[in-house]
């Protein structure tokens, strides 16, 4: 592509929602899309060792097994849009940090291969950004499970539970010191998500975190609040469905890519 122009954009959970409409529009306009991915591992030993005798089906099953055991940590997209009246393309390039969310019973496990992490480190991969700012995602089964837990006809009852727990935390924070913990008892994944969302929206940043320990939920004070005026008297609860939509995260874009019918060019894959 002799006249290709390239513009790079790094995407994390902080700017993903604002950039998603732009990226999906470009996918719709694209002639083709190049895709690259970094994984936490690329080999399962003899089980995934490629052979010259492998046919297409056998090779696919080995690659599929690798992708299921390890997790993707970064995805790169170059979306090639034909320039009007020019014999060239504009390549809109994005790199996405992606990291699975851990909430309640939804706690993804995956394998890590030392050589793969060393490779990423040698090429300046930012592990802190991956874990802290990675965009969440859910597969179809995970999303269905979470939506099934999302309260149904008992939304108002669930809102009452979240608001009650929020008041407990706010009252406790008025006298809590850094490192103190408040036991909140067991809560399902969606209640935990709603409570976290309420705390993020209503309290100053980095004052309290929610921790799950042996099936019990705790609030931990990260920093003492000396100015009690910052603590609100009331708060609203975001619907469970809306929160699950946010957890779907990068999967919204992935599904759009799959449905777009565009030509995909894999840049690097363990083949």
């Amino acid at each position: 592509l002799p006249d290709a122009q390239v513009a790079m954009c790094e995407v994390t959970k902080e700017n993903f929602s604002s950039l998603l409409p732009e990226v999906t529009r470009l996918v719709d306009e694209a002639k083709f899309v190049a895709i690259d991915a970094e994984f936490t591992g690329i080999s399962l030993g003899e089980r995934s060792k490629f052979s010259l005798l492998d046919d297409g089906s056998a090779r696919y099953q080995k690659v599929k097994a690798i992708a299921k055991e390890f997790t993707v940590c970064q995805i790169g997209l170059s979306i090639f849009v034909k320039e009007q009246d020019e014999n060239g393309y504009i390549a809109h390039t994005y790199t996405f940090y992606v990291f699975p969310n851990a909430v309640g019973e939804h706690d993804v496990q995956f394998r890590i291969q030392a050589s793969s992490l060393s490779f990423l480190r040698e090429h300046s991969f930012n592990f802190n950004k991956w874990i802290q700012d990675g965009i969440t995602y859910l597969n179809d089964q995970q999303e269905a499970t979470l939506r099934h837990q999302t309260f149904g006809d008992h939304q108002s009852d669930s809102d009452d539970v979240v608001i009650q727990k929020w008041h407990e935390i706010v009252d406790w924070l008025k006298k809590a010191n850094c490192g103190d913990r408040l036991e909140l008892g067991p809560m399902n994944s969606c209640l935990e998500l709603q409570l976290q969302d309420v705390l993020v929206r209503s309290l100053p940043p980095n004052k309290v975190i929610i921790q799950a320990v042996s099936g019990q939920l705790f609030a931990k004070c990260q920093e003492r609040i000396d100015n009690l005026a910052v603590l609100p008297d009331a708060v609203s609860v975001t619907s469970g469905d809306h929160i699950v939509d946010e957890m779907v995260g990068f999967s919204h874009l992935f599904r759009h890519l799959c449905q777009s019918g565009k030509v995909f060019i894999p840049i690097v894959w363990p083949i």
Side-chain angles (χ1 to χ4, degrees):
L1 303 175
D3 299 321
Q5 302 176 25
V6 179
M8 172 72 77
C9 181
E10 184 177 270
V11 188
T12 67
K13 67 181 181 182
E14 300 301 326
N15 60 353
F16 175 72
S17 295
S18 61
L19 287 172
L20 182 59
E22 170 189 312
V23 178
T24 54
R25 175 183 59 80
L26 289 171
V27 168
D28 292 339
E29 297 174 358
K31 290 295 183 180
F32 56 92
V33 179
I35 186 168
D36 185 19
E38 301 294 346
F39 283 81
T40 57
I42 58 171
S43 173
L44 295 173
E46 290 298 320
R47 182 154 62 101
S48 63
K49 189 175 181 180
F50 300 139
S51 168
L52 292 176
L53 301 178
D54 288 343
D55 59 15
S57 176
R59 181 66 61 91
Y60 172 78
Q61 291 301 323
K62 290 178 179 179
V63 172
K64 178 181 176 182
I66 292 170
K68 289 180 68 175
E69 291 283 343
F70 299 102
T71 195
V72 63
C73 49
Q74 193 175 54
I75 294 175
L77 292 179
S78 283
I79 307 168
F80 289 83
V81 178
K82 184 75 166 60
E83 288 189 286
Q84 289 186 353
D85 304 321
E86 297 287 341
N87 186 27
Y89 296 84
I90 299 177
H92 302 268
T93 301
Y94 301 83
T95 179
F96 301 84
Y97 282 91
V98 291
F99 189 79
N101 202 353
V103 180
E105 302 94 337
H106 175 71
D107 193 1
V108 176
Q109 299 182 17
F110 55 84
R111 296 177 61 159
I112 290 178
Q113 191 170 9
S115 59
S116 293
L117 295 196
S118 296
F119 172 85
L120 292 173
R121 183 195 65 228
E122 290 167 5
H123 291 82
S124 303
F125 183 80
N126 191 326
F127 289 94
N128 287 333
K129 183 173 289 186
W130 171 46
I131 296 171
Q132 181 173 337
D133 297 326
I135 306 160
T136 62
Y137 58 91
L138 297 172
N139 62 33
D140 292 345
Q141 183 177 355
Q142 291 165 340
E143 180 185 357
T145 299
L146 279 177
R147 290 201 186 279
H148 179 71
Q149 297 173 354
T150 308
F151 324 118
D153 296 331
H154 306 290
Q155 176 73 53
S156 60
D157 295 338
S158 301
D159 289 357
D160 291 341
V161 171
V162 173
I163 292 174
Q164 177 189 344
K165 295 296 182 183
W166 178 82
H167 279 294
E168 290 179 17
I169 292 171
V170 169
D171 291 340
W172 166 73
L173 281 174
K174 293 176 181 178
K175 53 184 181 296
N177 294 310
C178 181
D180 289 352
R181 293 202 309 177
L182 172 68
E183 183 175 349
L184 300 171
M187 300 178 71
N188 68 36
S189 299
C190 290
L191 283 174
E192 181 184 341
L193 278 170
Q194 284 189 300
L195 182 58
Q196 288 180 338
D197 175 74
V198 166
L199 292 172
V200 167
R201 289 188 291 107
S202 63
L203 299 181
N206 304 318
K207 298 298 184 182
V208 62
I209 60 172
I210 300 298
Q211 296 177 320
V213 180
S214 301
Q216 298 293 314
L217 214 60
F218 294 86
K220 181 179 180 182
C221 180
Q222 296 287 86
E223 183 179 340
R224 179 179 173 83
I225 299 179
D226 294 316
N227 180 15
L228 299 183
V230 302
L231 298 176
D233 296 323
V235 71
S236 60
V237 179
T238 304
S239 74
D241 273 338
H242 177 75
I243 293 175
V244 174
D245 282 339
E246 291 187 344
M247 284 189 67
V248 171
F250 186 82
S251 298
H252 287 302
L253 176 56
F254 185 78
R255 292 166 185 171
H256 187 82
L257 286 165
C258 293
Q259 295 166 3
S260 68
K262 302 298 179 178
V263 174
F264 288 91
I265 302 174
I267 303 303
V268 176
W269 194 255
I271 55 176

